[in-house]
Amino acid sequence: MIELKTPVEIQHMHVAGRFVAEVLSEVGRLADVGVNLLDLEHHVRDMIKRRGAESCYWDYAPSFGKGPFRNVICLSVNDAVLHGLPHDYTLRDGDVLTADLAVSIDGWVADSARTVAVGTADEEDLRIIRATEEALEAAIEVARPGNRLGDISAAIEAVAHDHGYPVNAEFGGHGIGRTMHERPHVSNNGRAGRGLTLQPGLTLALEPWFARTTDQVVYDADGWTIRSADGSRTAHSEHTIAITEDAPLVLTRREPEAHNER
């Protein structure tokens, strides 16, 4: 069952979304050479506690993970792209870091992710980061009443192909609202004009992610961290949006930043 949200409910989600955006901006600011992933994890824990929010990741135990997840943020480095388990790793010059965060405030959830370059950025890393950001904006642009879910998927896939990146369809976006994962699933590839008709009140987490040279993934021994199968670098961009009568509303939009916004 797909639950459409009222304007008031969307505003509640927007409260959570603004906080998620604030945290991810802070993580991007702190992500620098010599910073340990566990320090970032504990900093985010403190921010969540001070805000009175709840992590959607803590104790999360889906079928694909080796649960329960006992962290509040996913931190994935270089060829890792999804569900990265924070661990004792110190960021190095030239790394790329993906941070993915979902929290609940007063019973309403928002979810967002970003990839940033650490220290001296490689141009190919910046290119794949920009590609995921472009794909996300293209997906948001077509998230309008009367369009189809396939239009979103096709928009993401088109940007990936324009940049020469393959697309994995195993993990993608999803509905969101009272819980982190709701129906429908939003694939990162698909055919325009197909699938669910988009309606005002539909809230979605859209999340294009690409690896440079493969659409296959492997899991770390931790049972969570997902990497590109060939070790190529990755990037991931995600926003929670609401479809309205007018333009799509991005609930997790970050303020422009001077640091790490390339």
Side-chain angles (χ1 to χ4, degrees), residues 13-247:
M13 291 180 65
H14 205 171
V15 171
R18 283 191 290 264
F19 176 68
V20 168
E22 175 189 341
V23 175
L24 289 183
S25 291
E26 177 76 351
V27 170
R29 184 184 68 81
L30 294 174
D32 207 348
V33 177
V35 173
N36 193 285
L37 297 186
L38 292 179
D39 290 335
L40 290 176
E41 158 75 18
H42 286 283
H43 188 78
V44 174
R45 287 190 194 187
D46 289 343
M47 292 185 74
I48 290 173
K49 182 177 180 181
R50 290 197 304 269
R51 180 59 179 80
E54 295 183 12
S55 168
C56 294
Y57 295 160
W58 192 267
D59 277 343
Y60 183 51
S63 59
F64 58 79
K66 188 178 179 180
F69 198 84
R70 286 302 176 91
N71 295 91
V72 300
I73 188 168
C74 294
L75 297 172
S76 308
V77 180
N78 295 336
D79 59 325
V81 64
L82 298 172
H83 311 153
L85 197 67
H87 59 287
D88 184 14
Y89 176 83
T90 299
L91 292 171
R92 303 168 184 171
D93 189 44
D95 281 346
V96 291
L97 172 69
T98 295
D100 191 348
L101 178 71
V103 303
S104 174
I105 296 178
D106 296 328
W108 294 97
V109 176
D111 187 3
S112 186
R114 66 182 303 199
T115 301
V116 297
V118 177
T120 308
D122 180 88
E123 184 55 40
E124 284 302 308
D125 291 336
L126 295 181
R127 191 169 79 87
I128 194 170
I129 291 170
R130 286 194 295 265
T132 63
E133 293 169 345
E134 290 171 17
L136 180 55
E137 293 303 323
I140 292 168
E141 176 59 29
V142 298
R144 298 174 183 270
N147 285 348
R148 299 293 189 109
L149 202 62
D151 297 325
I152 292 175
S153 300
I156 293 171
E157 185 177 21
V159 173
H161 286 175
D162 285 347
H163 285 271
Y165 298 126
V167 178
N168 175 287
E170 184 178 357
F171 294 95
H174 49 89
I176 188 170
R178 299 178 191 272
T179 62
M180 178 170 57
H181 287 137
E182 298 180 354
R183 295 182 63 195
H185 172 73
V186 187
S187 178
N188 284 335
N189 66 1
R191 295 179 62 184
R194 299 292 184 91
L196 178 76
T197 300
L198 306 179
Q199 300 179 60
L202 182 63
T203 49
L204 302 169
L206 306 180
E207 47 181 317
W209 63 272
F210 309 141
R212 284 189 193 174
T213 54
T214 183
D215 61 0
Q216 300 299 304
V217 297
V218 294
Y219 286 78
D220 277 7
D222 63 29
W224 282 102
T225 305
I226 298 176
R227 299 182 183 273
S228 63
D230 63 359
S232 59
R233 292 257 173 129
T234 62
H236 177 198
S237 295
E238 177 183 15
H239 275 312
T240 295
I241 71 161
I243 294 170
T244 74
E245 295 284 358
D246 300 313

